[in-house]
Amino acid sequence: METGLSFTAADLAQTRFAVSPMWEVVTSFRLLRPAEGEPPLHRRWAAQVRPRLTEAGLDRGWLAALIPEGGYLADFLNPTPATPFPTLAAELDAIRQTPPERVRTELDMLGAEGRDLGRQPRIRLLREAPEAALRKVAAEIETYWELALAPYWDRIRQLLEADVFHRARQVAEHGAGHVLGELHETVRWDDGTLRLVRRHCGLSRDEAGAGLLLVPSAFAWPRVLTRSVLPDPPQLAYPARGIGTLWEPRQTGSVDAVAAVLGRSRTLLLAELDTPASTTQLAAQFGMSAAGVSQHLTALRGAGLVTAHRAGRSVLYARTAVADALMVPAEG
């Protein structure tokens, strides 16, 4: 089925990009829904994250009720970003403020796809007391974020921002129509209309406001996803460029130069934190005491080289973008 989104000059003028944490929540959670098998492009990430989610019970919580493996998902989970780079907190505030009638309408749309929602206590609570239920949904999203995305967010955000800057440059050089026609194999620009060949989702001016919001995603591949809710502009989430290399181990050069500044132990810890890890894991890896590793990580965190993220009973440490740049081998 092909759908089309017509454009006026004003619509083109209001077309913009945004990096949305909630789109990454929704697309990444959907990607993890199948009980068996790891997604090919995200196998390394999924193998680390899936056990944490199971332990926390998130595989059977609010998100599991609202995000099916395919088809429609509740649009209130993807509020329109007010800025090009909104925070998760800002998007969660928008979710909590979703009008009750919209919540119920979108639950009806979920049920219309043949899903048996009537027996689910969470869905009943969303219908009967949406304001209280949305607070619970937002709290679970915060937990999911800490377990699945926050330790990797620097890496993901760099990918998404690079996509936005690349396409903004392409708009300046070749025009908006050229960029719209290159977003995805199922999307094409044709004489003032953006055409999508999709089975489950589409875009139409009858169902959305002016303009267009383009959202690059690390987890949307291999498809595009859409959101059409009046009076908001339509949203189109598409796979960002470079996803295939997102989880590849990042090359590090000789540690000697960095070790001369930070010390050898802290430099080795930074090199290992290409993948988020806990104090216990790092201590076992390097034969160090947990207290010693904790002391080094505290210093590195204070210098802005690592971040800490609560994961159940553990804390995961991850390298920041500043540390990534520090560890890249010098050219020449």
Side-chain angles (χ1 to χ4, degrees):
M1 180 181 70
E2 183 176 287
T3 62
L5 183 70
S6 60
F7 278 77
T8 65
D11 290 317
L12 277 176
Q14 295 179 64
T15 295
R16 62 186 178 92
F17 289 87
V19 170
S20 165
M22 273 310 305
W23 267 112
E24 297 311 282
V25 168
V26 168
T27 53
S28 64
F29 189 88
R30 168 169 278 184
L31 181 144
L32 291 168
R33 287 304 309 271
E36 297 180 0
E38 305 295 356
L41 288 181
H42 301 285
R43 183 175 289 112
R44 187 167 177 244
W45 167 83
Q48 297 168 33
V49 167
R50 199 189 296 273
R52 299 176 204 155
L53 302 186
T54 301
E55 182 180 359
L58 298 191
D59 57 333
R60 51 191 183 276
W62 291 95
L63 290 176
L66 294 170
I67 304 176
E69 292 184 26
Y72 175 78
L73 55 87
D75 286 317
F76 63 77
L77 293 176
N78 295 113
T80 300
T83 66
F85 303 103
T87 63
L88 177 67
E91 294 194 314
L92 289 179
D93 282 343
I95 289 173
R96 295 185 192 99
Q97 295 169 24
T98 305
E101 60 272 17
R102 253 195 59 204
V103 173
R104 297 185 181 104
T105 296
E106 293 176 11
L107 292 179
D108 289 340
M109 294 171 69
L110 275 173
E113 294 198 343
R115 302 183 67 211
D116 183 11
L117 302 180
R119 299 181 180 180
Q120 296 188 30
R122 290 182 177 86
I123 298 299
R124 288 202 303 271
L125 183 59
L126 271 166
R127 286 188 182 280
E128 296 166 4
E131 292 183 2
L134 287 175
R135 289 195 293 271
K136 294 178 181 293
V137 172
E140 183 174 297
I141 290 171
E142 289 179 317
T143 300
Y144 176 80
W145 180 267
E146 284 299 307
L147 294 175
L149 293 176
Y152 311 90
W153 186 240
D154 266 9
R155 179 180 293 217
I156 296 169
R157 183 178 57 200
Q158 286 182 68
L159 176 84
L160 303 181
E161 290 180 353
D163 182 278
V164 170
F165 295 144
H166 168 79
R167 296 188 195 276
R169 190 165 56 247
Q170 292 292 96
V171 169
E173 294 177 358
H174 304 290
H178 173 84
V179 172
L180 291 171
E182 290 194 338
L183 291 172
H184 191 263
E185 61 184 9
T186 64
V187 179
R188 60 188 175 90
W189 176 253
D190 180 19
D191 192 26
T193 299
L194 189 68
R195 302 193 182 279
L196 284 76
V197 181
R198 299 299 303 157
R199 179 176 298 176
H200 294 297
C201 63
L203 289 174
S204 168
R205 286 291 170 212
D206 296 334
E207 301 171 348
L212 175 65
L213 184 63
L214 297 166
V215 184
S217 171
F219 299 98
W221 186 90
R223 60 184 64 84
V224 296
L225 299 171
T226 63
R227 177 188 189 270
S228 298
V229 177
L230 285 168
D232 298 341
Q235 296 187 42
L236 182 115
Y238 63 90
R241 300 169 70 252
I243 295 171
T245 62
L246 179 60
W247 306 117
E248 290 182 356
R250 299 191 176 184
Q251 183 183 8
T252 56
S254 170
V255 301
D256 293 340
V258 179
V261 179
L262 298 180
R264 190 164 189 84
S265 294
R266 291 175 184 175
T267 303
L268 290 174
L269 289 173
L270 273 186
E272 184 67 18
L273 286 175
D274 181 62
T275 298
S278 68
T279 300
T280 302
Q281 291 170 324
L282 292 169
Q285 174 74 15
F286 292 105
M288 301 169 63
S289 69
V293 170
S294 179
Q295 184 178 22
H296 290 312
L297 291 173
T298 298
L300 292 170
R301 186 180 181 188
L305 298 177
V306 301
T307 54
H309 309 276
R310 172 64 60 181
R313 298 177 182 177
S314 301
V315 175
L316 294 178
Y317 292 87
R319 218 161 63 194
T320 65
V322 174
D324 283 339
L326 189 65
M327 299 299 291
V328 169
E331 297 183 359

